[in-house]
Amino acid sequence: MFPSWPMRFQQTPRGSSKSGGESTDSGSGVNTISSKTENQVEPESPISKKTSSLDQQQQVDMASDISRTGTSQNQSAAAKTPQEKRRGSTSEKQLDAKTLRRLAQNREAARKSRLRKKAYVQQLESSRIKLTQLEQDLQRARSQGFFLGGCAGTVGNISSGAAIFDIEYSRWLEDDQRHMSELRTGLNAHLSDSDLRIIVDSYISHYDEIFRLKVAAAKADVFHLITGMWTTPAERCFLWMGGFRPSDLIKMLISQLDPLTEQQVMGIYSLQHSSQQAEEALTQGLEQLQQSLIDTIAGGPVIDGMQQMAVALGKLANLEGFVRQADNLRQQTLHQLSRILTVRQAARCFLMIGEYYGRLRALSSLWASRPRESMMSEDHSCQTTTELQMVQPSQNHFSNF
């Protein structure tokens, strides 16, 4: 039960009218009663009073702590010197610069990665086109019944690796004509030694390419290389282990490279002598291999023929090593000549080598395309000579009788 509170009416303010005062007094009286009624509070117990006092004390302490913290922060911020402020701004700038630099590096790495990917895709595409072209050339050559590079024969007499080498060799010959024209133009235009050196080095790299192709061809079909089926008939007459003899090439060049200094002459003759020794060693090794093959195939009982063939095949694998060593000797000879000679002499030297083999190929073409009438007359004369030789013994026989 709430205690009884005295109800009081509020007095009418001054200056108000009578009717208005009545309404005001009644309204104010009601309001006063309601407000007094709403503001009536139940008397608190000692425990609730103590709890409320503790809560009020904690709120006061928290407010004081917050005020002290804010004051200390403001004081520390105010106590910072301009130098410390500048250091803070500088560190932020450094961080920003590092971030920007890292972003720039990432962009550059991404750009290079895209370029590498694009180059790799282009390389794959060019390799695919080259392979397709090689297959088309091979099919066309098979349909015609012969292969490029001076090789004439049926499809069954040549392997796919040898056919691919013949096609690559024909392209190498086309590039050889272009390099020779560059050498000729450079000599006639009297280019500087540095410009002419670029052309000479390019021509040496051109010869290195054919030696690289021959290494792959020797692995595929060494007989195709060692028999010279990739060259013209005139070139085959001077063939030695699938190529030219370095000593013969040097002998041909010495008479056409004048004037030479005494030191150059000594260097060239020393190179010729070492080439001859290497050629003799390789020739003797090849002869021993051939004799060993003859003994292996011809010796032993017929029942053990399969074992003989297996041993012979193992010895035939050594042919690839002989061809490779001969090509290394040829390659080293060309490089040594370019070191001994001056730039212009080296340009003339390689030009003469190219023209020499070009004339051999032209000679083979002339021989293959000679008039048929002369061939018939030669065949007739040969037949007549043979008949005379056959008749002569019979005449002697009858005379003796």
Side-chain angles (χ1 to χ4, degrees), residues 80-287:
K80 282 186 178 180
T81 61
Q83 186 176 2
E84 292 177 350
K85 292 181 180 180
R86 283 196 300 271
R87 286 178 183 175
S89 60
T90 306
S91 63
E92 292 177 357
K93 290 181 180 179
Q94 288 179 354
L95 290 175
D96 293 339
K98 289 181 180 179
T99 305
L100 292 175
R101 185 166 59 252
R102 190 178 297 109
L103 290 174
Q105 291 175 355
N106 293 339
R107 286 194 297 269
E108 183 67 18
R111 187 183 67 83
K112 290 181 179 180
S113 178
R114 288 193 298 270
L115 290 176
R116 285 194 299 269
K117 182 180 178 181
K118 184 178 179 181
Y120 179 69
V121 171
Q122 290 178 353
Q123 183 180 3
L124 288 179
E125 185 66 20
S126 62
S127 299
R128 186 187 64 81
I129 294 173
K130 186 177 180 180
L131 181 60
T132 304
Q133 189 175 2
L134 281 174
E135 291 177 352
Q136 292 176 356
D137 293 342
L138 185 59
Q139 292 295 332
R140 184 169 58 253
R142 284 178 175 174
S143 63
Q144 294 174 357
F146 65 92
F147 295 93
L148 301 174
C151 173
T154 58
V155 178
N157 294 333
I158 191 170
S159 62
S160 59
I164 291 174
F165 172 75
D166 288 343
I167 295 171
E168 292 289 345
Y169 179 66
S170 65
R171 292 180 180 175
W172 183 87
L173 289 177
E174 295 176 359
D175 292 339
D176 188 67
Q177 295 297 323
R178 179 176 58 83
H179 284 286
M180 285 180 60
S181 63
E182 290 178 358
L183 282 174
R184 193 178 293 108
T185 304
L187 287 172
N188 295 332
H190 302 286
L191 295 178
S192 61
D193 291 347
S194 59
D195 295 337
L196 197 59
R197 172 62 67 183
I198 296 174
I199 300 176
V200 171
D201 292 342
S202 176
Y203 198 71
I204 295 174
S205 300
H206 171 63
Y207 265 97
D208 292 338
E209 177 67 18
I210 188 60
F211 291 129
R212 185 186 64 81
L213 292 174
K214 289 179 71 177
V215 169
K219 292 180 180 179
D221 190 354
V222 67
F223 288 108
H224 185 70
L225 285 182
I226 205 165
T227 56
M229 297 305 294
W230 50 283
T231 59
T232 57
E235 291 176 285
R236 257 175 262 159
C237 292
F238 307 97
L239 205 65
W240 174 76
M241 288 192 185
F244 60 86
R245 281 183 176 269
S247 59
D248 293 343
L249 187 68
I250 295 173
K251 192 183 299 182
M252 179 193 70
L253 293 172
I254 287 176
S255 60
Q256 302 184 25
L257 288 176
D258 291 334
L260 293 172
T261 63
E262 184 178 355
Q263 185 178 2
Q264 287 177 335
V265 172
M266 292 177 60
I268 290 176
Y269 276 112
S270 176
L271 180 62
Q272 184 183 9
H273 181 66
S274 62
S275 299
Q276 286 178 347
Q277 289 181 342
E279 289 168 11
E280 291 176 359
L282 287 174
T283 303
Q284 291 178 2
L286 184 60
E287 290 176 355

